[in-house]
Amino acid sequence: MRPQDVIRKKRDGQSLSRDEIDFFVAGVTSGRIADYQVSALLMAIYLNGMDAAEQQALTEAMLNSGNILDFSDIPKPKADKHSTGGVGDKTSIIIAPLVAACGVGVPMISGRGLGHTGGTLDKLESIPGYRVSLSAAEFKQVLERVGYAMAGQTAELAPADKKMYALRDATATVEAIPLIVASIISKKAAAGLDAMIIDVKVGNGAFMREESRATELAHALVSTGNSCGIKTRALLTDMNQPLGRAVGNSLEVEECIRLLRGEAAEAAQPVLDLSLELSAHMLWLANVDQTTEAAHERLRGVLDSGKALECLQRNIEAQGGDPRVCDDPATFLPLVSETIKVESPRSGFITRVDTTEIGHAIAAIGGGRVRIEDTIDPTVGFTSELKIGDRVKAGETIGVVYCADSAAAQEAARRIQVAYDVGDEPPAEDLQLVKEVINE
Amino acid sequence: MRPQDVIRKKRDGQSLSRDEIDFFVAGVTSGRIADYQVSALLMAIYLNGMDAAEQQALTEAMLNSGNILDFSDIPKPKADKHSTGGVGDKTSIIIAPLVAACGVGVPMISGRGLGHTGGTLDKLESIPGYRVSLSAAEFKQVLERVGYAMAGQTAELAPADKKMYALRDATATVEAIPLIVASIISKKAAAGLDAMIIDVKVGNGAFMREESRATELAHALVSTGNSCGIKTRALLTDMNQPLGRAVGNSLEVEECIRLLRGEAAEAAQPVLDLSLELSAHMLWLANVDQTTEAAHERLRGVLDSGKALECLQRNIEAQGGDPRVCDDPATFLPLVSETIKVESPRSGFITRVDTTEIGHAIAAIGGGRVRIEDTIDPTVGFTSELKIGDRVKAGETIGVVYCADSAAAQEAARRIQVAYDVGDEPPAEDLQLVKEVINE
């Protein structure tokens, strides 16, 4: 078999066989197939797509390119959540302790932020001492002891994905649905899951801006996840404004802790609503509850009793972090007191938020990564005090930028102010946080 | 500008600007753009195409990636022929002296054979002593003294093409029309031409097997050539059987010499017919004659008078070859006496020839290159004694394989025998050698 013959076949719109896909993924992993051949195939896949059998074969080949974690001796169901990414999306930090407190193991493999989106690992690292680089043995130990563990992908899990992702990023082939699905599902399957809920974000702050594309992605993820033996469901959720109140690493961790403590601001509420909804589906998928209503009740129980907060605190301690952040986040998280208000230039209603621009504005001043090698400043961030549809007066505070460097803060505030559209009338339609549940 | 943004634009089917194309070609030439980014763009171009303005910009960017030969001080029109390649296609060796003998300068940059097709440079090198690697100064000197010169592409002419071609070969993007056009026209334009005739081969021995694709390619070549200031026309010609009688390097040179000497076998005649037709268009394009009929008369004159043969002989001498090959090719060309006949397995009519298979069979025994690094055995070859439509008896000789290694010869003869279809009825349609003249 020659790489160019496989490329030619996909170029001509034909389906690749399992052998051809295995050959290619093995060549990527070993380095025997040149990067320029891999990238030509990636572009051909981007433009000509893959059918369900190819999708399945690609995902399994990537899964089998590395080790598979084995948690079969932990006598409980294992479930995880994956989000396609957005601005202010911090639900992982809430969902993991909520679901773990309900008796489901959550071996969560998370990512870093890049571009306008944040990453769970970066957020967690704003907790003093918290370690996200765990060996497989440590990861399992924390999972067993606490009920959940959170770490980054290691070189041993789906190594083909790591190489392919770097090439996709450099060749404008990131957005190909078959490649996204294989990347996500192979990593999740390598983490030994029984069930998985996928939060597919849609809107101007999401990776997928169009609902049709997001829906297509959600269906492909659910069907491939199920075919790989992971009971999978997806929710299509809104990303037309930052999720909740906080954007930025320390601020988002603080928001999560306050939500679990029952003392968060009203603007943060959607984060908890969505976290509970995603968690309820996870409990249903993991066969803990027979209906999502029953799961909601169970979740409300561990939230109100403080068991979820306690679980978070035990995880932080187990992963080397300072557990006192759960008691007093304002004191023990790296936050700055320097703030600049973003004021509304006129009176009216907030009609639209350029969510990606807010993400970029915060990333540009250190709250995220413009380039993959950038380091993060955990103190930098933004809190959005108003939502789409809210009435606002000229000069009223839309939100607040947190940043010790006042010139940088001013630049971010200027960009964010422009990102908010204020009109005379409220928007015609209400934004629904959860747009659709996708089961197959 | 970032390479991935240019790739994304072409991926999404948009037109690239001249600046974006210049940026990419400059990056290819300097090596500043990674091969894997180049190959992703090549695949996007393959699948999404290029419009006329992009085609033009790409060709000019590749042309400007290197030196441009300047023959403006040679006071005659400069013209060339290019063929898209086939089996037994040796017209360059006849056309160059024919046209040069009519007062047109022919600065011919030729290529090597690869796969089933032969290359003019390989054929010329079967003349003892003949040198195809000339410096720019030598090339010009031969052109001035003899009227034509023949050499390979140097690293100075269109260097972007050389790098892109290697990547295209490895990534199944060779057949993209915009890439073929830019590759051909940029090299020709770098040779300082006024006029150019393009022989676009179509049929089962051609690069383009389908007439619709070949026609599309011909139109793109003609329009881009004209836009680059080269008066260009294309002929669509048949490649459903070897052109003429000989396939293989020495044998083809011998055939050319015998045709110019007026002593070739009947089966070789189509080579001369096509050479005269292509030459007549070149003289018309170069404004030497006002009609192709008048050009045909002029060509017939230099052929019958021996002036064309004399011109060939002077070129061979000027490029270091032994000029006695023109007087006595059988003695001075490296030919072998070991032959094996290919016999017809049955009586009937020759209905079809798998021309590519003949090319591969001869390449496999040393007459061509299977891999780019293979060396050529100039003595190896095949002569086809019968054409499509000819009546044949069982056991009659279809053709003859020339090869000193009898096991190899037998293997080639076996493959070639299978490549000929013999049926009860002659084929319904006559094959036309020239199918269409394309002017725009």
Side-chain angles (χ1 to χ4, degrees):
Chain A
M1 211 181 284
R2 299 188 316 160
Q4 51 267 58
D5 298 327
V6 180
I7 299 168
R8 177 174 295 109
K9 211 169 156 186
K10 182 44 67 188
R11 177 200 82 182
D12 293 343
Q14 294 174 268
S15 294
L16 302 183
S17 70
R18 183 171 283 268
D19 280 353
E20 287 164 338
I21 290 171
D22 285 346
F23 162 77
F24 226 94
V25 172
V28 169
T29 311
S30 68
R32 271 197 300 271
I33 296 181
D35 286 350
Y36 51 81
Q37 293 179 311
V38 178
S39 66
L41 183 68
L42 295 174
M43 182 57 79
I45 292 172
Y46 183 98
L47 289 169
N48 286 336
M50 276 189 151
D51 62 28
E54 290 175 284
Q55 174 73 84
Q56 185 65 22
L58 178 63
T59 307
E60 288 177 15
M62 285 169 61
L63 165 62
N64 294 323
S65 72
N67 296 340
I68 299 174
L69 300 177
D70 181 7
F71 303 129
S72 56
D73 57 336
I74 300 179
K76 43 166 111 170
K78 269 72 66 179
D80 195 4
K81 181 224 61 158
H82 178 83
S83 161
T84 60
V87 176
D89 178 12
K90 58 204 71 97
T91 62
S92 292
I93 299 167
I94 297 178
I95 289 171
L98 271 175
V99 171
C102 295
V104 172
V106 184
M108 198 178 263
I109 307 288
S110 296
R112 300 271 176 195
L114 184 60
H116 71 283
T117 63
T120 300
L121 300 179
D122 296 325
K123 293 169 195 174
L124 290 169
E125 282 182 343
S126 63
I127 300 169
Y130 198 95
R131 289 169 49 230
V132 296
S133 296
L134 303 182
S135 69
E138 282 178 304
F139 186 76
K140 188 172 178 183
Q141 204 176 33
V142 175
L143 175 62
E144 272 183 301
R145 219 168 62 215
V146 180
Y148 81 91
M150 304 189 93
Q153 194 192 350
T154 65
E156 289 79 40
L157 297 185
D161 177 64
K162 205 181 168 104
K163 293 189 78 168
M164 277 170 64
Y165 190 84
L167 281 176
R168 285 164 61 200
D169 191 46
T171 59
T173 50
V174 168
E175 303 93 329
I177 286 180
L179 302 177
I180 298 172
V181 169
S183 173
I184 292 173
I185 304 292
S186 65
K187 280 182 290 188
K188 292 294 175 185
L193 298 180
D194 303 302
M196 166 167 55
I197 185 79
I198 300 175
D199 182 5
V200 178
K201 300 287 188 195
V202 58
N204 68 27
F207 198 54
M208 295 284 176
R209 292 175 167 239
E210 292 158 38
E211 193 155 336
S212 61
R213 285 271 294 167
T215 307
E216 192 189 334
L217 173 61
H219 281 290
L221 285 165
V222 169
S223 113
T224 307
N226 282 317
S227 299
C228 285
I230 308 173
K231 204 166 161 190
T232 308
R233 183 177 265 188
L235 301 189
L236 215 64
T237 74
D238 183 68
M239 186 35 69
N240 281 299
Q241 58 188 334
L243 181 63
R245 182 171 174 258
V247 176
N249 297 283
S250 280
L251 286 171
E252 292 193 40
V253 172
E254 184 195 14
E255 179 161 299
C256 292
I257 293 169
R258 295 210 184 280
L259 282 166
L260 288 174
R261 292 178 63 85
E263 60 187 38
E266 173 63 23
Q269 198 58 35
V271 178
L272 186 60
D273 294 345
L274 182 58
S275 299
L276 288 168
E277 186 64 19
L278 290 163
S279 299
H281 285 282
M282 277 169 80
L283 293 183
W284 179 85
L285 288 163
N287 273 324
V288 171
D289 288 295
Q290 299 315 301
T291 64
T292 52
E293 290 75 18
H296 268 289
E297 252 180 69
R298 186 187 300 272
L299 288 160
R300 182 50 69 180
V302 298
L303 179 66
D304 292 346
S305 69
K307 281 197 174 151
L309 179 67
E310 190 194 315
C311 191
L312 171 67
Q313 194 160 27
R314 282 191 295 122
N315 170 272
I316 291 172
E317 189 156 24
Q319 298 203 200
D322 187 338
R324 293 175 295 176
V325 296
C326 290
D327 304 318
D328 185 358
T331 302
F332 293 101
L333 282 171
L335 296 163
V336 290
S337 52
E338 295 88 342
T339 59
I340 290 189
K341 286 182 183 159
V342 177
E343 291 170 357
S344 179
R346 50 165 293 191
S347 296
F349 296 88
I350 295 175
T351 54
R352 188 180 173 279
V353 180
D354 183 344
T355 315
T356 292
E357 177 63 8
I358 294 178
H360 282 311
I362 293 305
I365 60 171
R369 284 185 189 82
V370 177
R371 275 171 300 271
I372 209 159
E373 63 273 18
D374 290 346
T375 53
I376 298 263
D377 178 351
T379 67
V380 162
F382 171 69
T383 55
S384 71
E385 307 298 337
L386 296 174
K387 303 272 165 213
I388 291 176
D390 283 352
R391 185 189 285 273
V392 63
K393 294 207 187 77
E396 191 182 338
T397 300
I398 293 174
V400 180
V401 172
Y402 290 70
C403 181
D405 174 340
S406 83
Q410 257 154 14
E411 169 61 11
R414 195 197 52 74
R415 287 178 72 172
I416 292 173
Q417 188 184 46
V418 176
Y420 279 81
D421 287 357
V422 180
D424 293 330
E425 303 288 332
E429 280 180 83
D430 274 357
L431 286 177
Q432 280 184 288
L433 190 53
V434 176
K435 292 163 179 282
E436 202 181 338
V437 178
I438 286 162
N439 283 302
E440 59 181 338
Chain B
M1 210 179 287
R2 298 187 317 158
Q4 51 267 57
D5 298 328
V6 180
I7 299 169
R8 177 174 295 110
K9 212 170 155 185
K10 181 43 68 187
R11 178 199 82 182
D12 293 343
Q14 295 174 268
S15 295
L16 302 183
S17 69
R18 183 171 282 267
D19 280 352
E20 287 164 337
I21 289 171
D22 285 346
F23 163 76
F24 226 94
V25 172
V28 169
T29 311
S30 68
R32 272 197 299 272
I33 296 182
D35 286 350
Y36 51 81
Q37 293 178 310
V38 178
S39 66
L41 183 67
L42 294 175
M43 182 58 78
I45 292 172
Y46 183 99
L47 290 168
N48 286 337
M50 278 189 148
D51 63 28
E54 291 175 283
Q55 173 73 82
Q56 185 66 22
L58 178 63
T59 307
E60 288 176 15
M62 285 170 60
L63 165 63
N64 294 324
S65 72
N67 295 339
I68 298 174
L69 300 177
D70 181 6
F71 303 129
S72 56
D73 56 339
I74 300 179
K76 43 166 110 170
K78 269 71 67 179
D80 195 4
K81 181 224 59 157
H82 178 83
S83 161
T84 59
V87 176
D89 180 11
K90 59 205 66 100
T91 61
S92 291
I93 299 168
I94 298 178
I95 290 171
L98 271 175
V99 172
C102 295
V104 173
V106 184
M108 197 177 264
I109 305 289
S110 297
R112 301 272 174 194
L114 185 60
H116 71 284
T117 63
T120 301
L121 300 180
D122 296 325
K123 293 170 196 176
L124 291 169
E125 283 183 343
S126 62
I127 300 169
Y130 199 96
R131 289 169 48 230
V132 298
S133 297
L134 304 180
S135 69
E138 283 178 303
F139 186 77
K140 188 172 178 182
Q141 203 176 33
V142 175
L143 175 62
E144 273 184 300
R145 219 167 63 213
V146 179
Y148 81 93
M150 303 188 95
Q153 195 192 349
T154 65
E156 289 80 39
L157 297 185
D161 177 63
K162 205 181 168 103
K163 293 188 78 168
M164 276 171 64
Y165 190 84
L167 281 177
R168 285 164 61 199
D169 191 44
T171 59
T173 51
V174 168
E175 303 93 327
I177 286 180
L179 302 177
I180 298 172
V181 170
S183 173
I184 293 174
I185 305 292
S186 66
K187 279 182 290 188
K188 293 294 174 184
L193 298 181
D194 303 302
M196 167 167 53
I197 185 78
I198 299 175
D199 182 4
V200 177
K201 300 288 187 195
V202 59
N204 68 27
F207 198 53
M208 295 285 176
R209 292 173 167 241
E210 292 158 38
E211 192 155 337
S212 61
R213 285 271 294 167
T215 307
E216 192 190 335
L217 172 61
H219 281 290
L221 284 164
V222 169
S223 110
T224 307
N226 282 316
S227 299
C228 285
I230 308 173
K231 204 165 161 191
T232 308
R233 183 177 263 189
L235 301 190
L236 215 63
T237 75
D238 183 66
M239 186 34 69
N240 281 300
Q241 56 187 334
L243 181 63
R245 183 171 172 258
V247 177
N249 297 282
S250 280
L251 287 171
E252 292 193 41
V253 172
E254 185 195 14
E255 180 161 299
C256 292
I257 293 169
R258 294 208 186 280
L259 283 166
L260 288 174
R261 292 178 62 85
E263 60 186 37
E266 172 63 24
Q269 198 56 37
V271 178
L272 186 60
D273 294 346
L274 182 59
S275 298
L276 288 169
E277 186 65 20
L278 291 163
S279 298
H281 286 281
M282 278 170 79
L283 293 183
W284 179 85
L285 288 163
N287 272 325
V288 171
D289 287 296
Q290 298 316 301
T291 64
T292 52
E293 290 74 18
H296 267 290
E297 250 179 72
R298 186 188 301 272
L299 289 160
R300 183 50 70 179
V302 298
L303 179 66
D304 293 346
S305 68
K307 281 196 174 151
L309 179 67
E310 189 193 315
C311 192
L312 172 67
Q313 196 159 27
R314 282 192 293 122
N315 170 271
I316 291 173
E317 190 158 23
Q319 297 202 202
D322 187 337
R324 292 174 297 174
V325 296
C326 290
D327 303 319
D328 184 359
T331 302
F332 293 100
L333 282 171
L335 296 163
V336 289
S337 53
E338 294 89 343
T339 60
I340 290 189
K341 285 181 183 161
V342 177
E343 291 171 357
S344 178
R346 50 165 294 191
S347 295
F349 295 89
I350 294 175
T351 53
R352 188 180 174 279
V353 181
D354 184 343
T355 315
T356 292
E357 177 62 9
I358 294 178
H360 282 311
I362 293 304
I365 61 172
R369 283 186 190 81
V370 177
R371 275 172 299 272
I372 210 158
E373 63 274 17
D374 291 345
T375 53
I376 298 264
D377 177 351
T379 67
V380 162
F382 171 68
T383 55
S384 71
E385 306 299 336
L386 297 175
K387 303 270 163 213
I388 290 175
D390 283 352
R391 185 188 286 273
V392 64
K393 292 205 189 80
E396 192 182 337
T397 300
I398 294 174
V400 180
V401 172
Y402 290 71
C403 180
D405 175 338
S406 82
Q410 257 155 13
E411 169 62 12
R414 194 197 54 72
R415 286 178 72 171
I416 291 173
Q417 189 184 46
V418 176
Y420 279 81
D421 287 357
V422 179
D424 294 330
E425 303 288 332
E429 281 180 83
D430 275 356
L431 286 176
Q432 280 184 290
L433 190 53
V434 176
K435 293 161 178 287
E436 202 181 338
V437 178
I438 286 161
N439 283 302
E440 61 181 338

